Amino acid sequence: MHTLTPISTSTTTRQARPWWRCLLRPAVGGALAGGLLLAAAPAQAVTTSSTGWHPVSGADRVFRADNGISLSYHYYAEGVDWDRPAGAVFFFDGDGTARAEQPSGRFATRMARVAADTNRAFVFLEAPYGTRSWRAGNTRAVTEAVRQFATTNITPTTDAGVLVTGYSGGAEFLSRNLLRGDTHWLPDGSGAAFIGGGGTYGQPVAEATPATEDLALTWVAGDRDGAYATDSGSWSARAATAQAAAAYRDAGYERARRITTAGAHTDYDIPALVADRLAALDR
């Protein structure tokens, strides 16, 4: 998998219809490296301690929200120094992907290392109801559950800020649900990365306030990621990202921007892009 280099920026706005069938090759499992060991743990509700995130990394954990929604996730904290300013990286994968089923694979290990390099824990959330789709079921209830999960667990460790990032269907969940109506729950110094998707499709975006206008919001689209014919109609990640970035800018988010990279929908080097976004966040 190669590192993508930004080749241009764009503010062109086009309307798009969502494409949700983004099938990827599963991530290839690999040996754990760099001390980022993910110890398997039984599914359990993990509560926040006074020192922040649960200190032990573990796979297949479960957070049970007050509204009854259960969220499965994998948590990586090796290399995070809780005595220093710390934060978190939350990742929402694309519809149809299987990377969450390989919590010790190369993709998750790279993401954990990238997060730890900036003293942040990495949190890999699985799509709800075991569906591999962030559009499944009651998306409003899922949104409430995700927000409760994030705010319950990140509150003691927000000094380094939080990066919320999604790919394809995960990016669409962020732009259409989790962030579109409210961003006040994100701590200062936070941002979001929408990779290969993330449109709003005419839905109103909550107006930015002095507390939220400085959030770093970045949409990333490949120069060949577009013109797909799907069961929902024609869809283009290029068009969706351009439209959404413009909509968020119009709503007052001053750091909303769009980046074009080289490649098609399955070519994104997501860990490299996340590392780049974290570097920008910390500047």
Side-chain angles (χ1 to χ4, degrees):
M1 192 175 290
H2 57 281
T3 301
L4 301 178
T5 303
I7 58 175
S8 68
T9 59
S10 171
T11 57
T12 304
T13 302
R14 290 170 50 192
Q15 292 295 322
R17 296 173 64 185
W19 176 50
W20 301 103
R21 305 294 184 187
C22 9
L23 298 177
L24 272 187
R25 298 182 300 274
V28 177
L32 297 181
L36 294 169
L37 302 179
L38 181 64
Q44 58 184 289
V46 177
T47 57
T48 304
S49 70
S50 60
T51 57
W53 278 93
H54 192 283
V56 179
S57 298
D60 301 314
R61 297 192 183 278
V62 176
F63 175 83
R64 296 177 179 88
D66 292 342
N67 64 5
I69 299 294
S70 292
L71 299 170
S72 298
Y73 67 100
H74 313 297
Y75 172 62
Y76 307 72
E78 295 296 328
V80 178
D81 181 356
W82 301 112
D83 293 326
R84 296 170 45 217
V89 175
F90 294 88
F91 181 68
F92 301 77
D93 213 347
D95 294 344
T97 55
R99 283 182 288 220
E101 298 171 3
Q102 302 177 48
S104 296
R106 182 171 180 267
F107 175 82
T109 303
R110 285 186 66 202
M111 290 286 279
R113 189 179 300 113
V114 162
D117 284 346
T118 61
N119 210 40
R120 291 177 171 90
F122 173 53
V123 190
F124 194 149
L125 285 94
E126 295 193 32
Y129 316 112
T131 61
R132 296 187 185 175
S133 174
W134 285 101
R135 64 189 175 109
N138 185 335
T139 54
R140 177 174 293 183
V142 171
T143 298
E144 293 173 354
V146 170
R147 193 171 293 145
Q148 182 189 358
F149 169 68
T151 55
T152 296
N153 290 283
I154 66 177
T155 300
T157 60
T158 56
D159 291 342
V162 169
L163 181 69
V164 183
T165 184
Y167 164 71
S168 195
E172 299 279 311
F173 173 73
L174 300 184
S175 61
R176 290 163 52 110
N177 298 282
L178 189 63
L179 301 178
R180 186 178 61 83
D182 181 21
T183 55
H184 286 88
W185 57 276
L186 287 169
D188 292 342
S190 294
F194 311 82
I195 301 170
T200 60
Y201 313 102
Q203 298 180 87
V205 176
E207 292 293 323
T209 68
T212 62
E213 64 185 9
D214 198 41
L215 291 173
L217 307 178
T218 305
W219 282 259
V220 182
D223 58 357
R224 293 186 288 112
D225 193 354
Y228 292 96
T230 75
D231 57 1
S232 299
S234 177
W235 185 85
S236 164
R238 294 197 310 271
T241 53
Q243 175 270 321
Y248 275 80
R249 278 195 301 273
D250 289 345
Y253 292 90
E254 297 179 353
R255 295 179 66 189
R257 64 189 295 245
R258 177 177 180 265
I259 296 173
T260 301
T261 61
H265 199 65
T266 59
D267 293 335
Y268 297 102
D269 186 341
I270 295 173
L273 291 170
V274 169
D276 180 70
R277 292 301 88 213
L278 286 170
L281 203 63
D282 288 342
R283 281 200 288 268

mmCIF file of all heavy atoms in Angstrom, residues 15-16 18 20 139-140 172-181 198-207 243-244 246-248 250-251:
data_model
loop_
_atom_site.group_PDB
_atom_site.id
_atom_site.type_symbol
_atom_site.label_atom_id
_atom_site.label_comp_id
_atom_site.label_asym_id
_atom_site.label_seq_id
_atom_site.Cartn_x
_atom_site.Cartn_y
_atom_site.Cartn_z
ATOM 1 N N GLN A 15 -23.584 18.463 -6.399
ATOM 2 C CA GLN A 15 -24.492 17.617 -5.656
ATOM 3 C C GLN A 15 -24.206 16.159 -5.972
ATOM 4 O O GLN A 15 -23.829 15.813 -7.077
ATOM 5 C CB GLN A 15 -25.951 17.943 -6.015
ATOM 6 C CG GLN A 15 -26.391 19.309 -5.532
ATOM 7 C CD GLN A 15 -26.389 19.385 -4.006
ATOM 8 O OE1 GLN A 15 -26.744 18.411 -3.346
ATOM 9 N NE2 GLN A 15 -25.988 20.518 -3.475
ATOM 10 N N ALA A 16 -24.365 15.310 -5.000
ATOM 11 C CA ALA A 16 -24.094 13.891 -5.201
ATOM 12 C C ALA A 16 -25.100 13.070 -4.445
ATOM 13 O O ALA A 16 -25.732 13.522 -3.508
ATOM 14 C CB ALA A 16 -22.685 13.548 -4.707
ATOM 15 N N PRO A 18 -25.558 9.387 -2.336
ATOM 16 C CA PRO A 18 -24.620 8.528 -1.597
ATOM 17 C C PRO A 18 -24.422 7.163 -2.213
ATOM 18 O O PRO A 18 -25.345 6.562 -2.735
ATOM 19 C CB PRO A 18 -25.276 8.414 -0.213
ATOM 20 C CG PRO A 18 -26.724 8.649 -0.475
ATOM 21 C CD PRO A 18 -26.788 9.627 -1.607
ATOM 22 N N TRP A 20 -23.077 3.521 -0.873
ATOM 23 C CA TRP A 20 -22.807 2.867 0.393
ATOM 24 C C TRP A 20 -22.162 1.498 0.234
ATOM 25 O O TRP A 20 -21.852 0.857 1.235
ATOM 26 C CB TRP A 20 -24.111 2.683 1.162
ATOM 27 C CG TRP A 20 -24.789 3.977 1.428
ATOM 28 C CD1 TRP A 20 -25.868 4.494 0.775
ATOM 29 C CD2 TRP A 20 -24.454 4.948 2.422
ATOM 30 N NE1 TRP A 20 -26.216 5.698 1.297
ATOM 31 C CE2 TRP A 20 -25.373 5.995 2.303
ATOM 32 C CE3 TRP A 20 -23.461 5.000 3.402
ATOM 33 C CZ2 TRP A 20 -25.326 7.095 3.134
ATOM 34 C CZ3 TRP A 20 -23.426 6.101 4.218
ATOM 35 C CH2 TRP A 20 -24.346 7.137 4.082
ATOM 36 N N THR A 139 -30.130 5.240 12.966
ATOM 37 C CA THR A 139 -28.873 5.991 12.949
ATOM 38 C C THR A 139 -28.876 7.107 13.993
ATOM 39 O O THR A 139 -27.811 7.474 14.507
ATOM 40 C CB THR A 139 -28.608 6.592 11.555
ATOM 41 O OG1 THR A 139 -29.737 7.364 11.140
ATOM 42 C CG2 THR A 139 -28.335 5.492 10.545
ATOM 43 N N ARG A 140 -30.055 7.634 14.320
ATOM 44 C CA ARG A 140 -30.103 8.673 15.354
ATOM 45 C C ARG A 140 -29.693 8.084 16.706
ATOM 46 O O ARG A 140 -28.909 8.690 17.441
ATOM 47 C CB ARG A 140 -31.498 9.283 15.450
ATOM 48 C CG ARG A 140 -31.625 10.324 16.561
ATOM 49 C CD ARG A 140 -32.970 11.019 16.535
ATOM 50 N NE ARG A 140 -33.108 11.838 15.346
ATOM 51 C CZ ARG A 140 -34.176 12.600 15.093
ATOM 52 N NH1 ARG A 140 -35.197 12.625 15.933
ATOM 53 N NH2 ARG A 140 -34.224 13.324 13.992
ATOM 54 N N GLU A 172 -19.337 9.016 5.735
ATOM 55 C CA GLU A 172 -20.710 9.487 5.553
ATOM 56 C C GLU A 172 -21.442 9.556 6.892
ATOM 57 O O GLU A 172 -22.226 10.473 7.146
ATOM 58 C CB GLU A 172 -21.448 8.540 4.602
ATOM 59 C CG GLU A 172 -20.843 8.437 3.209
ATOM 60 C CD GLU A 172 -21.263 9.588 2.304
ATOM 61 O OE1 GLU A 172 -22.467 9.876 2.245
ATOM 62 O OE2 GLU A 172 -20.372 10.194 1.682
ATOM 63 N N PHE A 173 -21.201 8.583 7.771
ATOM 64 C CA PHE A 173 -21.829 8.610 9.093
ATOM 65 C C PHE A 173 -21.384 9.848 9.872
ATOM 66 O O PHE A 173 -22.186 10.506 10.542
ATOM 67 C CB PHE A 173 -21.468 7.342 9.873
ATOM 68 C CG PHE A 173 -21.933 7.357 11.303
ATOM 69 C CD1 PHE A 173 -23.273 7.213 11.619
ATOM 70 C CD2 PHE A 173 -21.018 7.519 12.338
ATOM 71 C CE1 PHE A 173 -23.703 7.237 12.943
ATOM 72 C CE2 PHE A 173 -21.440 7.540 13.658
ATOM 73 C CZ PHE A 173 -22.789 7.400 13.961
ATOM 74 N N LEU A 174 -20.102 10.189 9.767
ATOM 75 C CA LEU A 174 -19.601 11.364 10.466
ATOM 76 C C LEU A 174 -20.242 12.643 9.936
ATOM 77 O O LEU A 174 -20.703 13.484 10.702
ATOM 78 C CB LEU A 174 -18.079 11.459 10.331
ATOM 79 C CG LEU A 174 -17.233 10.308 10.874
ATOM 80 C CD1 LEU A 174 -15.758 10.641 10.726
ATOM 81 C CD2 LEU A 174 -17.588 9.987 12.309
ATOM 82 N N SER A 175 -20.253 12.794 8.625
ATOM 83 C CA SER A 175 -20.707 14.059 8.025
ATOM 84 C C SER A 175 -22.214 14.222 8.079
ATOM 85 O O SER A 175 -22.724 15.343 8.219
ATOM 86 C CB SER A 175 -20.233 14.153 6.575
ATOM 87 O OG SER A 175 -20.781 13.090 5.803
ATOM 88 N N ARG A 176 -22.957 13.118 7.979
ATOM 89 C CA ARG A 176 -24.418 13.192 7.926
ATOM 90 C C ARG A 176 -25.079 13.039 9.289
ATOM 91 O O ARG A 176 -26.239 13.438 9.459
ATOM 92 C CB ARG A 176 -24.951 12.089 7.003
ATOM 93 C CG ARG A 176 -24.641 12.313 5.537
ATOM 94 C CD ARG A 176 -24.810 11.043 4.725
ATOM 95 N NE ARG A 176 -26.079 10.378 4.910
ATOM 96 C CZ ARG A 176 -27.053 10.300 3.995
ATOM 97 N NH1 ARG A 176 -26.868 10.881 2.816
ATOM 98 N NH2 ARG A 176 -28.153 9.644 4.228
ATOM 99 N N ASN A 177 -24.352 12.468 10.257
ATOM 100 C CA ASN A 177 -24.962 12.163 11.541
ATOM 101 C C ASN A 177 -24.160 12.704 12.728
ATOM 102 O O ASN A 177 -24.605 13.604 13.425
ATOM 103 C CB ASN A 177 -25.141 10.649 11.680
ATOM 104 C CG ASN A 177 -26.056 10.066 10.627
ATOM 105 O OD1 ASN A 177 -27.266 10.177 10.712
ATOM 106 N ND2 ASN A 177 -25.473 9.435 9.611
ATOM 107 N N LEU A 178 -22.978 12.159 12.956
ATOM 108 C CA LEU A 178 -22.277 12.446 14.200
ATOM 109 C C LEU A 178 -21.879 13.910 14.346
ATOM 110 O O LEU A 178 -21.952 14.465 15.443
ATOM 111 C CB LEU A 178 -21.032 11.551 14.297
ATOM 112 C CG LEU A 178 -20.301 11.579 15.640
ATOM 113 C CD1 LEU A 178 -21.196 11.055 16.758
ATOM 114 C CD2 LEU A 178 -19.013 10.765 15.567
ATOM 115 N N LEU A 179 -21.443 14.565 13.266
ATOM 116 C CA LEU A 179 -20.924 15.924 13.363
ATOM 117 C C LEU A 179 -21.846 16.982 12.765
ATOM 118 O O LEU A 179 -21.709 18.160 13.100
ATOM 119 C CB LEU A 179 -19.558 16.011 12.667
ATOM 120 C CG LEU A 179 -18.466 15.082 13.222
ATOM 121 C CD1 LEU A 179 -17.184 15.244 12.420
ATOM 122 C CD2 LEU A 179 -18.207 15.358 14.694
ATOM 123 N N ARG A 180 -22.767 16.587 11.917
ATOM 124 C CA ARG A 180 -23.566 17.579 11.200
ATOM 125 C C ARG A 180 -24.439 18.416 12.133
ATOM 126 O O ARG A 180 -24.610 19.616 11.935
ATOM 127 C CB ARG A 180 -24.451 16.875 10.156
ATOM 128 C CG ARG A 180 -25.228 17.830 9.263
ATOM 129 C CD ARG A 180 -26.034 17.055 8.232
ATOM 130 N NE ARG A 180 -26.995 16.167 8.864
ATOM 131 C CZ ARG A 180 -28.198 16.544 9.299
ATOM 132 N NH1 ARG A 180 -28.567 17.816 9.185
ATOM 133 N NH2 ARG A 180 -29.021 15.679 9.842
ATOM 134 N N GLY A 181 -24.996 17.791 13.176
ATOM 135 C CA GLY A 181 -25.917 18.512 14.040
ATOM 136 C C GLY A 181 -25.284 19.155 15.252
ATOM 137 O O GLY A 181 -25.859 20.077 15.842
ATOM 138 N N GLY A 198 -18.219 11.435 2.667
ATOM 139 C CA GLY A 198 -18.517 12.421 3.704
ATOM 140 C C GLY A 198 -19.365 13.573 3.213
ATOM 141 O O GLY A 198 -19.096 14.729 3.543
ATOM 142 N N GLY A 199 -20.426 13.277 2.449
ATOM 143 C CA GLY A 199 -21.304 14.327 1.949
ATOM 144 C C GLY A 199 -22.420 14.660 2.925
ATOM 145 O O GLY A 199 -22.668 13.951 3.897
ATOM 146 N N THR A 200 -23.110 15.763 2.651
ATOM 147 C CA THR A 200 -24.279 16.141 3.451
ATOM 148 C C THR A 200 -25.563 16.121 2.625
ATOM 149 O O THR A 200 -26.650 16.082 3.180
ATOM 150 C CB THR A 200 -24.101 17.543 4.056
ATOM 151 O OG1 THR A 200 -23.946 18.501 3.008
ATOM 152 C CG2 THR A 200 -22.889 17.583 4.976
ATOM 153 N N TYR A 201 -25.456 16.198 1.301
ATOM 154 C CA TYR A 201 -26.582 16.006 0.387
ATOM 155 C C TYR A 201 -27.750 16.926 0.687
ATOM 156 O O TYR A 201 -28.904 16.517 0.696
ATOM 157 C CB TYR A 201 -27.016 14.535 0.395
ATOM 158 C CG TYR A 201 -25.841 13.609 0.260
ATOM 159 C CD1 TYR A 201 -25.320 12.951 1.359
ATOM 160 C CD2 TYR A 201 -25.195 13.462 -0.962
ATOM 161 C CE1 TYR A 201 -24.202 12.148 1.242
ATOM 162 C CE2 TYR A 201 -24.088 12.664 -1.090
ATOM 163 C CZ TYR A 201 -23.583 11.997 0.016
ATOM 164 O OH TYR A 201 -22.467 11.211 -0.099
ATOM 165 N N GLY A 202 -27.448 18.203 0.942
ATOM 166 C CA GLY A 202 -28.488 19.198 1.155
ATOM 167 C C GLY A 202 -29.017 19.270 2.574
ATOM 168 O O GLY A 202 -29.809 20.164 2.886
ATOM 169 N N GLN A 203 -28.615 18.357 3.447
ATOM 170 C CA GLN A 203 -29.059 18.422 4.835
ATOM 171 C C GLN A 203 -28.351 19.588 5.541
ATOM 172 O O GLN A 203 -27.170 19.806 5.334
ATOM 173 C CB GLN A 203 -28.753 17.120 5.561
ATOM 174 C CG GLN A 203 -29.463 15.914 4.975
ATOM 175 C CD GLN A 203 -29.126 14.647 5.746
ATOM 176 O OE1 GLN A 203 -29.770 14.319 6.726
ATOM 177 N NE2 GLN A 203 -28.095 13.938 5.294
ATOM 178 N N PRO A 204 -29.079 20.326 6.377
ATOM 179 C CA PRO A 204 -28.466 21.493 7.024
ATOM 180 C C PRO A 204 -27.368 21.109 8.003
ATOM 181 O O PRO A 204 -27.462 20.103 8.703
ATOM 182 C CB PRO A 204 -29.650 22.150 7.752
ATOM 183 C CG PRO A 204 -30.628 21.033 7.971
ATOM 184 C CD PRO A 204 -30.494 20.143 6.773
ATOM 185 N N VAL A 205 -26.331 21.928 8.045
ATOM 186 C CA VAL A 205 -25.217 21.745 8.971
ATOM 187 C C VAL A 205 -25.369 22.756 10.098
ATOM 188 O O VAL A 205 -25.648 23.926 9.852
ATOM 189 C CB VAL A 205 -23.867 21.953 8.251
ATOM 190 C CG1 VAL A 205 -22.706 21.870 9.237
ATOM 191 C CG2 VAL A 205 -23.706 20.940 7.130
ATOM 192 N N ALA A 206 -25.208 22.305 11.342
ATOM 193 C CA ALA A 206 -25.317 23.210 12.487
ATOM 194 C C ALA A 206 -24.292 24.335 12.356
ATOM 195 O O ALA A 206 -23.129 24.100 12.017
ATOM 196 C CB ALA A 206 -25.095 22.444 13.783
ATOM 197 N N GLU A 207 -24.720 25.551 12.603
ATOM 198 C CA GLU A 207 -23.831 26.690 12.483
ATOM 199 C C GLU A 207 -22.685 26.603 13.494
ATOM 200 O O GLU A 207 -22.880 26.228 14.651
ATOM 201 C CB GLU A 207 -24.606 27.991 12.717
ATOM 202 C CG GLU A 207 -25.625 28.314 11.631
ATOM 203 C CD GLU A 207 -24.963 28.638 10.297
ATOM 204 O OE1 GLU A 207 -23.890 29.281 10.310
ATOM 205 O OE2 GLU A 207 -25.516 28.256 9.256
ATOM 206 N N GLN A 243 -18.808 18.954 -2.091
ATOM 207 C CA GLN A 243 -20.076 19.528 -1.618
ATOM 208 C C GLN A 243 -20.069 19.721 -0.108
ATOM 209 O O GLN A 243 -20.478 20.769 0.408
ATOM 210 C CB GLN A 243 -21.222 18.603 -2.043
ATOM 211 C CG GLN A 243 -22.594 19.004 -1.531
ATOM 212 C CD GLN A 243 -22.912 18.375 -0.182
ATOM 213 O OE1 GLN A 243 -22.578 17.227 0.076
ATOM 214 N NE2 GLN A 243 -23.554 19.144 0.686
ATOM 215 N N ALA A 244 -19.589 18.715 0.629
ATOM 216 C CA ALA A 244 -19.628 18.789 2.087
ATOM 217 C C ALA A 244 -18.664 19.833 2.634
ATOM 218 O O ALA A 244 -19.000 20.576 3.563
ATOM 219 C CB ALA A 244 -19.328 17.425 2.686
ATOM 220 N N ALA A 246 -17.719 22.523 1.236
ATOM 221 C CA ALA A 246 -18.329 23.831 0.997
ATOM 222 C C ALA A 246 -19.468 24.095 1.978
ATOM 223 O O ALA A 246 -19.623 25.209 2.492
ATOM 224 C CB ALA A 246 -18.841 23.910 -0.437
ATOM 225 N N ALA A 247 -20.273 23.070 2.264
ATOM 226 C CA ALA A 247 -21.399 23.235 3.191
ATOM 227 C C ALA A 247 -20.916 23.570 4.598
ATOM 228 O O ALA A 247 -21.494 24.436 5.279
ATOM 229 C CB ALA A 247 -22.250 21.967 3.207
ATOM 230 N N TYR A 248 -19.874 22.909 5.048
ATOM 231 C CA TYR A 248 -19.346 23.192 6.385
ATOM 232 C C TYR A 248 -18.677 24.564 6.430
ATOM 233 O O TYR A 248 -18.777 25.282 7.435
ATOM 234 C CB TYR A 248 -18.386 22.100 6.831
ATOM 235 C CG TYR A 248 -19.071 20.904 7.472
ATOM 236 C CD1 TYR A 248 -19.664 19.911 6.699
ATOM 237 C CD2 TYR A 248 -19.126 20.769 8.848
ATOM 238 C CE1 TYR A 248 -20.290 18.812 7.279
ATOM 239 C CE2 TYR A 248 -19.753 19.680 9.451
ATOM 240 C CZ TYR A 248 -20.332 18.705 8.654
ATOM 241 O OH TYR A 248 -20.957 17.616 9.240
ATOM 242 N N ASP A 250 -19.622 27.111 4.634
ATOM 243 C CA ASP A 250 -20.741 28.048 4.645
ATOM 244 C C ASP A 250 -21.377 28.146 6.027
ATOM 245 O O ASP A 250 -21.981 29.170 6.376
ATOM 246 C CB ASP A 250 -21.804 27.625 3.627
ATOM 247 C CG ASP A 250 -21.354 27.827 2.185
ATOM 248 O OD1 ASP A 250 -20.354 28.556 1.981
ATOM 249 O OD2 ASP A 250 -21.974 27.254 1.272
ATOM 250 N N ALA A 251 -21.271 27.064 6.814
ATOM 251 C CA ALA A 251 -21.825 27.054 8.165
ATOM 252 C C ALA A 251 -20.884 27.707 9.174
ATOM 253 O O ALA A 251 -21.208 27.773 10.366
ATOM 254 C CB ALA A 251 -22.139 25.626 8.602
#
